[in-house]
Amino acid sequence: MTSFPILLRLEGRTCVVVGAGRVAAAKAAGLLNHGAQVVVVAPKAVNWIREKARSGKLAWRRRAFSFRDVRGAFLVVAATNSAASNGAVFRACRARGVLCNVVDDPEHCDFFYPAVVRRGPLQIAISTDGRSPALAARLRRELEKQFGPEWGPFVEHIGKLRQQFLGAGMPLENKREQLAELAGQKAFLSFRRQLVRATRRGT
């Protein structure tokens, strides 16, 4: 079975991370960056998690995992160093219909973390369905060279123009043609030249 590709909005949703080591902290940081309400469950935690808990950025349940910890969660990440503990987390999620990711254990994952190239609102996600994260990381590095930082402002630019076109009183077919031109290679190269000139003037 292949995975269904999807981008999720996590604003205001409860996401639970079981474990509080370096890997768990990285997962919690990613969830926080996307607006999730993060709950960490672990008896001990690295300094980053302790600091975020003290500042109220996340909630830290300072104890061992319990089945009730997945109640009301949108998704759960299991990142302990114990296969038995991770397995208990996965079973609890399955029992309650909660999405679960067990780090470095593809057989116990309802979803995978893709390797992502981010350029502002542009996101290019690469996944191997958990078969080779190293390959996904290599492809991400190659795409980062192909899609430079100018792609972020370009996507913002065409997004604003798209809204203008959608509000204009023109036939639907004409709108489609205009939108296709906005996203075309010629439009991108023109925008990049303008961006370079503006940068040079700024320096």
Side-chain angles (χ1 to χ4, degrees):
M1 292 289 290
T2 58
S3 299
F4 178 72
I6 189 171
L7 295 174
L8 298 173
R9 292 192 180 276
L10 298 181
E11 293 92 343
R13 297 184 183 273
T14 299
C15 297
V16 177
V17 178
V18 183
R22 179 180 56 82
V23 174
K27 300 301 183 183
L31 294 169
L32 282 177
N33 288 340
H34 287 82
Q37 294 181 349
V38 177
V39 176
V40 174
V41 182
K44 298 179 180 180
V46 295
N47 288 335
W48 185 89
I49 289 176
R50 290 174 177 270
E51 292 170 2
K52 294 299 179 183
R54 281 195 294 268
S55 63
K57 300 294 184 182
L58 57 77
W60 176 26
R61 297 174 184 169
R62 195 171 178 175
R63 55 170 171 74
F65 171 76
S66 167
F67 270 43
R68 67 179 182 272
D69 287 317
V70 307
R71 187 180 303 157
F74 180 68
L75 61 83
V76 175
V77 177
T80 77
N81 57 7
S82 165
S85 296
N86 289 341
V89 175
F90 181 75
R91 290 191 296 275
C93 290
R94 274 295 168 94
R96 292 190 175 273
V98 177
L99 295 173
C100 182
N101 174 282
V102 177
V103 174
D104 292 333
D105 187 356
E107 294 300 317
H108 293 95
C109 288
D110 295 311
F111 65 94
F112 298 101
Y113 279 83
V116 180
V117 177
R118 288 188 175 86
R119 297 292 184 253
L122 175 65
Q123 295 189 65
I124 304 172
I126 308 107
S127 172
T128 60
D129 263 352
R131 289 169 175 79
S132 179
L135 174 59
R138 180 176 70 80
L139 294 174
R140 183 201 67 217
R141 291 191 294 271
E142 292 179 4
L143 287 170
E144 284 175 338
K145 295 176 183 177
Q146 182 178 347
F147 293 87
E150 67 274 10
W151 279 88
F154 176 65
V155 175
E156 292 281 7
H157 171 70
I158 61 175
K160 293 176 182 177
L161 292 179
R162 177 177 179 272
Q163 291 301 316
Q164 295 174 13
F165 276 110
L166 291 177
M170 65 173 67
L172 180 60
E173 190 60 35
N174 289 357
K175 288 182 180 180
R176 288 174 177 167
E177 292 177 3
Q178 292 286 345
L179 291 173
E181 289 181 12
L182 289 177
Q185 180 73 356
K186 183 177 179 180
F188 170 71
L189 294 175
S190 175
F191 177 84
R192 187 170 61 179
R193 286 193 296 270
Q194 295 175 25
L195 190 65
V196 169
R197 287 196 293 268
T199 302
R200 288 174 178 171
R201 287 197 298 268
T203 56

